[in-house]
Amino acid sequence: EFNINTLEILTISSNPILTKGDIGCFDDSGVMGCCVINTKDSIRLYYIGWNLGVTVPFRNSIGVAESFDEGKTFKKPYLGPIIDRTIHEPHFVASNCVIKDNGIYKIWYLSCTNWFTDLTGKVMHRYHIKYAESIDGIDWKRNGVVAIDYIDDYEYAISAPRVILEAGIYKMWFSSRATKDIDTYRIRYAESEDGINWTRKDNEVGLNVSASGWDSKMICYPFIFDNKGKRYMLYNGNDYGKTGFGLAVLEGE
């Protein structure tokens, strides 16, 4: 917990709010929180489960956990994932954003389309963002709908969607890499009238890397929230967050 005005850190949990799963489970190598929503009885956390790989570095799936103590701790109602690879998505799924709109749970999630070996011999992944719906937020109807696709042959990693619905418009901030000239993550932006068909407006993000310092080489993993009439973005800096995460505030509105 931190003070939004002074950025003073007030509390840091002494224990993890969620730990990795039992050996052999989809999350036995690690867990990463993605999205938190309120339900009638609990706070629900959608998270990424990690397995280390042999032929490829890792495999991800999406799990769910619940908190009954205002987010201090989370427990897993299931040992298995709620979204995993299928006959139509054979590689892995990962970072996600869930909202509930008119009684329907809607999810935008990372879906890996293939692995490849680059010119140096390193095994690399390609992933974009897909969309699915659910009645209960647990069982998902996946029809292979692509929400954000690769913009060109250079872009190979699109991740960490963050969606809000405002005045009838779906707004998404997300991370992507790469371009012809840049191989590290940048934060992008898109809008949609139905949450399915999106128009990218990357030039409207309003945030780029700094000239020097902790976020001078990379910005990624945006999280958007509003507080007392102001809109904020939490985001990670260089090396996916090795140098820390920062806070930006929207100007002009």
Side-chain angles (χ1 to χ4, degrees):
E1 298 178 1
F2 68 96
N3 185 307
I4 192 70
N5 297 311
T6 66
L7 302 187
E8 176 189 5
I9 297 175
L10 305 177
T11 303
I12 298 178
S13 60
S14 56
N15 296 306
I17 63 170
L18 187 70
T19 58
K20 62 183 182 179
D22 295 335
I23 185 171
C25 289
F26 78 101
D27 54 357
D28 68 357
S29 300
V31 293
M32 291 174 58
C34 287
C35 178
V36 176
I37 65 172
N38 292 316
T39 69
K40 181 180 178 181
D41 302 315
S42 68
I43 298 174
R44 182 180 291 174
L45 169 67
Y46 293 90
Y47 70 94
I48 303 171
W50 286 77
N51 285 146
L52 295 180
V54 176
T55 56
V56 294
F58 61 87
R59 172 192 168 195
N60 292 143
S61 306
I62 298 173
V64 67
E66 295 178 313
S67 174
F68 299 93
D69 58 5
E70 299 183 343
K72 296 180 177 65
T73 59
F74 284 84
K75 295 183 179 180
K76 305 170 187 178
Y78 315 105
L79 295 180
I82 60 169
I83 301 181
D84 202 353
R85 59 187 180 182
T86 67
I87 59 173
H88 301 296
E89 294 179 79
H91 301 289
F92 68 84
V93 296
S95 57
N96 57 84
C97 178
V98 179
I99 67 173
K100 190 174 184 181
D101 178 29
N102 291 324
I104 302 296
Y105 288 89
K106 302 179 178 182
I107 188 170
W108 296 264
Y109 65 97
L110 177 161
S111 176
C112 180
T113 56
N114 67 284
W115 290 88
F116 66 96
T117 303
D118 68 12
L119 296 177
T120 68
K122 183 179 179 180
V123 177
M124 299 289 293
H125 42 61
R126 282 173 55 86
Y127 44 74
H128 56 189
I129 295 173
K130 285 188 174 179
Y131 170 79
E133 295 182 353
S134 172
I135 298 299
D136 59 6
I138 302 297
D139 296 313
W140 294 90
K141 184 177 181 181
R142 297 156 66 184
N143 294 324
V145 176
V146 178
I148 305 292
D149 206 357
Y150 311 106
I151 200 168
D152 54 31
D153 291 337
Y154 295 103
E155 189 174 63
Y156 68 91
I158 308 173
S159 67
R162 183 58 48 195
V163 178
I164 64 172
L165 179 57
E166 185 175 57
I169 300 297
Y170 293 85
K171 300 180 178 182
M172 180 193 296
W173 292 260
F174 58 96
S175 300
S176 83
R177 63 181 183 195
T179 69
K180 181 180 179 180
D181 303 312
I182 302 170
D183 192 41
T184 55
Y185 269 122
R186 294 296 186 273
I187 295 173
R188 313 298 187 188
Y189 176 71
E191 291 185 355
S192 171
E193 294 183 355
D194 57 11
I196 299 172
N197 301 288
W198 292 82
T199 300
R200 289 181 60 160
K201 299 184 177 183
D202 294 349
N203 292 332
E204 297 184 18
V205 172
L207 185 71
N208 207 334
V209 294
S210 299
S212 62
W214 71 279
D215 62 349
S216 60
K217 298 178 181 179
M218 176 189 295
I219 53 173
C220 59
Y221 310 151
F223 185 92
I224 306 298
F225 67 98
D226 295 334
N227 181 69
K228 295 183 178 180
K230 293 184 178 181
R231 176 155 296 168
Y232 297 88
M233 177 193 292
L234 291 163
Y235 69 97
N236 286 29
N238 301 345
D239 298 316
Y240 313 98
K242 183 178 180 180
T243 55
F245 66 89
L247 181 69
V249 60
L250 180 65
E251 295 181 339
E253 288 191 6

